[in-house]
Amino acid sequence: MKKRSKGYEGKVYLVGAGPGDPGLLAKKAEQIIKEADVILYDQLVGDEIIKSFPAGATLIDVGKHAALHKFEQDEINRMLIKYAREGHVVVRLKGGDPYLFGRGGEEAEALAASGIEVVIVPGITSAMAAPAYAGIPLTHRDYASMVTFITGHEAAKEASAIDWGLLAKLRGTLVILMGVKNLQRNVDALLKHGKDPKTPVALIERGTTEEQRITVGTLCDIVDIAKRAGVKPPAVMVIGDVVKLRKRIG
Ligand code: SAH
């Protein structure tokens, strides 16, 4: 692994890779990737982007579950700190945008606490790009004047920080990430709190990639429809009247 000249202070570029379509990678991200000595990347970084990594760089797939072992967050933080301290140009490449449900905030905190400079390069989040590619604008003057981004992962936790009662009352668009595993639980929570069962729902799997697939239904039938279709992560779930626009736009 090459090292920078003496006196070079290693820093970590926390870079968003966008939702999968390589055309959605920012110019700045592309430039920084080209200059990287070490790239630690996630499972959600698109294959095309992975193929473009520079030949000389050390590549670490931290999303990979090696036999019986998955990289824990602490371990990732430690590696980032170590490589930066050794004076390398370190790129931490994450799917979508690093600061939207990507644990980028935790990584930036750990780096800052260790005195390492962090440079953030935002990415296009799947939360917006997947619906866009599916023909669903998240807001529209006739349908939704607000949008809420939610993690669907928390439902199993006892002390969930998500107020489903409040969400059920909101009249805007709800966008749920990491929501496939707990689909039934999340849908039930909204219905239980009075959300209209006829509210349109779309699930967009592998959005913006060549394998993008859209499954639509309403709150009362989406669980069955998704089961039959075999919907799998990663998928973005959009709940709200804006889903109807697909017919005209998508
Ligand atoms: N920081 C990322 C989100 C990380 S959380 C971003 O901004 O996009 C992981 C979740 O993101 C997945 O469970 C899924 O809900 C969503 N996701 C990421 N890439 C996706 C894609 N190409 N298509 C659909 N959903 C995607």
Side-chain angles (χ1 to χ4, degrees):
M1 196 188 304
K2 62 182 187 248
K3 278 206 181 158
R4 301 280 150 164
S5 59
K6 268 218 169 91
Y8 171 81
E9 290 280 315
K11 53 178 132 175
V12 174
Y13 293 88
L14 193 49
V15 180
D21 177 347
L24 296 181
L25 184 74
K27 265 190 188 164
K28 194 164 180 178
E30 197 175 31
Q31 189 56 44
I32 289 164
I33 288 169
K34 266 192 211 145
E35 289 167 19
D37 300 323
V38 188
I39 304 175
L40 289 92
Y41 62 100
D42 281 345
Q43 224 166 13
L44 285 172
V45 173
D47 292 341
E48 288 296 306
I49 294 167
I50 292 172
K51 277 186 215 147
S52 76
F53 289 163
T58 300
L59 308 179
I60 304 169
D61 178 356
V62 295
K64 200 157 134 189
H65 297 233
L68 299 176
H69 180 79
K70 178 179 174 285
F71 283 96
E72 298 295 341
Q73 190 61 53
D74 279 354
E75 218 172 335
I76 297 171
N77 295 352
R78 273 199 301 275
M79 282 194 281
L80 292 171
I81 293 165
K82 172 179 157 291
Y83 287 121
R85 286 210 172 123
E86 286 173 3
H88 299 295
V89 172
V90 184
V91 171
R92 175 68 178 109
L93 192 63
K94 301 170 87 65
D97 179 79
Y99 284 169
L100 191 76
F101 301 132
R103 293 192 150 203
E106 291 168 48
E107 295 178 11
E109 263 185 308
L111 290 161
S114 301
I116 291 159
E117 189 187 346
V118 183
V119 179
I120 179 84
V121 181
I124 294 181
T125 178
S126 65
M128 293 167 93
Y133 272 42
I136 305 171
L138 295 181
T139 67
H140 185 291
R141 278 200 299 165
D142 298 335
Y143 295 93
S145 299
M146 59 187 283
V147 50
T148 309
F149 298 106
I150 307 148
T151 165
H153 200 62
E154 276 215 336
K157 273 206 231 161
E158 276 195 11
S160 168
I162 293 172
D163 183 343
W164 291 97
L166 177 66
L167 292 176
K169 284 191 197 76
L170 296 175
R171 292 214 312 239
T173 306
L174 303 178
V175 179
I176 304 186
L177 275 74
M178 297 178 278
V180 175
K181 197 166 149 242
N182 292 325
L183 181 65
Q184 170 123 43
R185 216 189 283 246
N186 296 337
V187 166
D188 287 351
L190 288 171
L191 290 172
K192 191 180 103 191
H193 287 99
K195 187 94 185 154
D196 183 353
K198 291 194 201 75
T199 310
V201 179
L203 284 159
I204 306 127
E205 294 169 84
R206 300 178 297 276
T208 81
T209 72
E210 276 167 14
E211 291 104 48
Q212 172 171 298
R213 180 170 73 146
I214 308 157
T215 305
V216 290
T218 57
L219 260 190
C220 62
D221 60 19
I222 193 68
V223 175
D224 280 345
I225 293 174
K227 225 175 259 169
R228 259 183 279 131
V231 172
K232 284 200 277 301
V236 169
M237 183 178 187
V238 184
I239 304 169
D241 286 337
V242 287
V243 171
K244 291 181 194 160
L245 287 162
R246 245 198 95 227
K247 287 209 184 101
R248 275 181 266 153
I249 297 174

